[in-house]
Structure formats: structure tokens, C-alpha cells
Amino acid sequence: MDVRVGDCIITKKPHPCGANRFQVLRVGMDFKIRCTGCGREVMVPRAKIEKNIKQIQRDENTSD
């Protein structure tokens, strides 16, 4: 799965605050994501987050 730092992911399960959108801060064996609703930052194992991603929203203006 091609997830990059700066992407916004929509998950199948919402965060306890009710939001289901997260900004990706770090990618590796663990993902560091920030909830767009409450701002809480969470470290999640790659296998778990890849199972729960519904959609990836990417800013197309960024160049690689």
C-alpha cells in the first residue's frame, strides 16, 4: 500500500472522538497518525492500519 507522509487517510473505524480522518506523520514499521478531529497522535503497527484504511486522500500539488 502506497501511503506517504502528509497523506490523509480515512479509516473504517472512527476514533473515539468521532472523526475517521487521520493525517500521516510517519511511515515505517509503525505509522504515526494524527486525528483531524481532536489532534491526538497515535502510533499504530503497519499491519493494523493497512487493514483499516478505507481511502487515501493525497494532495496532488506535492511533487516527488
Side-chain angles (χ1 to χ4, degrees), residues 2-47:
D2 184 31
V3 180
R4 302 179 198 156
V5 173
D7 289 351
C8 188
I9 58 173
I10 298 174
T11 58
K12 294 176 185 174
K13 289 185 177 182
H15 190 250
C17 73
N20 66 344
R21 294 183 53 153
F22 297 86
Q23 181 182 9
V24 179
L25 303 175
R26 179 178 176 266
V27 178
M29 281 304 293
D30 295 321
F31 277 47
K32 186 171 189 177
I33 56 176
R34 178 184 295 139
C35 177
T36 57
C38 64
R40 172 89 48 155
E41 293 181 6
V42 184
M43 292 287 286
V44 184
R46 176 180 279 274

Side-chain angles (χ1 to χ4, degrees), residues 39-57:
R40 172 89 48 155
E41 293 181 6
V42 184
M43 292 287 286
V44 184
R46 176 180 279 274
K48 186 172 183 179
I49 196 71
E50 284 185 347
K51 265 193 337 190
N52 290 320
I53 292 176
K54 185 189 292 186
Q55 182 181 0
I56 301 171
Q57 295 179 337

